[in-house]
Amino acid sequence: MRVHVVSDVHGNSTDLARAGDGADALVCLGDLVLFLDYADHSRGIFPDLFGVENAHRIVELRTARRFEEARTFGAGLWAGIDRRSAIETAVRKQYAELFAAFPTPTYATYGNVDIPHLWSEYAGSGTTVLDGERVEIGGLVFGFVGGGLRSAMRTPYEISDEEYAAKIEAVGEVDVLCTHIPPDVPDLVYDTVARRFERGSRALLEAIRRTRPRYSLFGHVHQPLVRRMRIGATECVNVGHFAGSGRPWALEW
């Protein structure tokens, strides 16, 4: 059995259409939407609406961790624009392309920049969306928990630590634990390019130690200090920033 795993697709529908080649199934751990590309400020919803120079400025402020200034700057740009409508229109366009690129079967969960209530409109019969749920693939039990924890970035699908922990608890013991965000381990949550610690989950870390899945798979941190490490019996793997690499991670058994 061979399963390909991707995360942080961020608009890369071209490579996504090939991500399932040679695999029995594709697993996607979220962040389909590209709002702003920190490597190429001309790409994404934000520069499409406000231009490259404004995109460069907001990246500069966020990278310097000047989040209040970034919010004030952004609020000025959005003044007079129906923000929700503009973003949803742009996201719908991206989702139409991305969900059409998914092979059959695909098992997917949400990232922190995704808009969950839209997924049911675009997920075809070959795509199973799971969040706080389990599914059997090739004799192994996979558990899925989507979204991120609340942060200064205020992305669309951020939830409380308590709500996230409840979803981890609902999944229970599995062979492969699939989440968008990593367990709260410094080496796994530090982004070497953004130069900051992203939010990882303490509840996820505790579940790994307690239930000992074979694998913990996640994304979210695009350029982690460490991409792979063991926590007890569990192999923890950042499956990569798919938007940048265009290559899925393969799990075989």
Side-chain angles (χ1 to χ4, degrees):
M1 191 76 182
R2 181 181 178 94
V3 169
H4 287 176
V5 190
V6 301
S7 186
D8 300 85
V9 175
H10 294 302
N12 188 352
S13 58
T14 300
D15 288 323
L16 186 62
R18 300 189 290 263
D21 290 355
D24 298 291
L26 179 71
V27 166
C28 178
L29 303 184
D31 271 11
L32 299 183
V33 172
L34 178 61
F35 189 76
L36 177 58
D37 189 331
Y38 278 58
D40 181 353
H41 302 167
S42 69
R43 297 181 64 245
I45 294 171
F46 190 93
D48 286 349
L49 289 170
F50 303 117
V52 176
E53 288 302 315
N54 286 324
H56 176 73
R57 178 57 177 163
I58 204 160
V59 168
E60 183 180 59
L61 291 171
R62 288 178 176 178
T63 302
R65 302 185 63 80
R66 293 157 61 184
F67 295 117
E68 286 301 326
E69 288 181 64
R71 277 192 284 274
T72 300
F73 177 72
L77 296 175
W78 283 106
I81 299 174
D82 185 337
R83 178 171 181 155
R84 180 171 181 175
S85 176
I87 290 177
E88 186 165 307
T89 297
V91 169
R92 284 180 178 279
K93 181 180 178 181
Q94 290 188 16
Y95 277 169
E97 295 178 1
L98 291 159
F99 278 93
F102 276 144
T104 298
T106 291
Y107 302 89
T109 196
Y110 317 111
N112 61 291
V113 301
D114 286 311
I115 302 179
H117 78 266
L118 295 180
W119 278 37
S120 61
E121 297 183 35
Y122 295 94
S125 59
T127 299
T128 302
V129 179
L130 303 115
D131 189 16
E133 299 166 283
R134 303 148 54 103
V135 66
E136 184 178 318
I137 306 174
L140 296 185
V141 178
F142 285 65
F144 290 80
V145 174
L149 297 174
R150 289 177 183 155
S151 72
M153 303 298 283
R154 298 184 182 178
T155 51
Y157 191 40
E158 294 182 353
I159 61 178
S160 70
D161 289 66
E162 293 76 17
E163 186 178 352
Y164 195 89
K167 292 196 293 184
I168 291 288
E169 185 67 24
V171 166
E173 295 187 16
V174 296
D175 298 300
V176 185
L177 187 49
C178 299
T179 58
H180 178 66
I181 62 174
D184 189 16
V185 177
D187 285 353
L188 296 176
V189 300
Y190 186 74
D191 191 305
T192 60
V193 174
R195 302 193 304 277
R196 65 170 179 258
F197 289 97
E198 301 288 355
R199 287 217 62 193
S201 169
R202 173 62 56 174
L204 173 57
L205 176 59
E206 292 172 353
I208 290 169
R209 289 171 171 164
R210 183 178 68 255
T211 66
R212 298 163 61 89
R214 297 188 195 183
Y215 292 93
S216 167
L217 307 180
F218 47 85
H220 187 56
V221 182
H222 293 175
Q223 296 90 17
L225 189 63
V226 172
R227 290 195 176 276
R228 192 167 186 154
M229 69 184 299
R230 293 194 73 83
I231 298 177
T234 302
E235 188 74 12
C236 299
V237 185
N238 184 317
V239 298
H241 178 205
F242 185 76
S245 71
R247 297 187 302 272
W249 185 78
L251 176 62
E252 294 185 285
W253 68 96

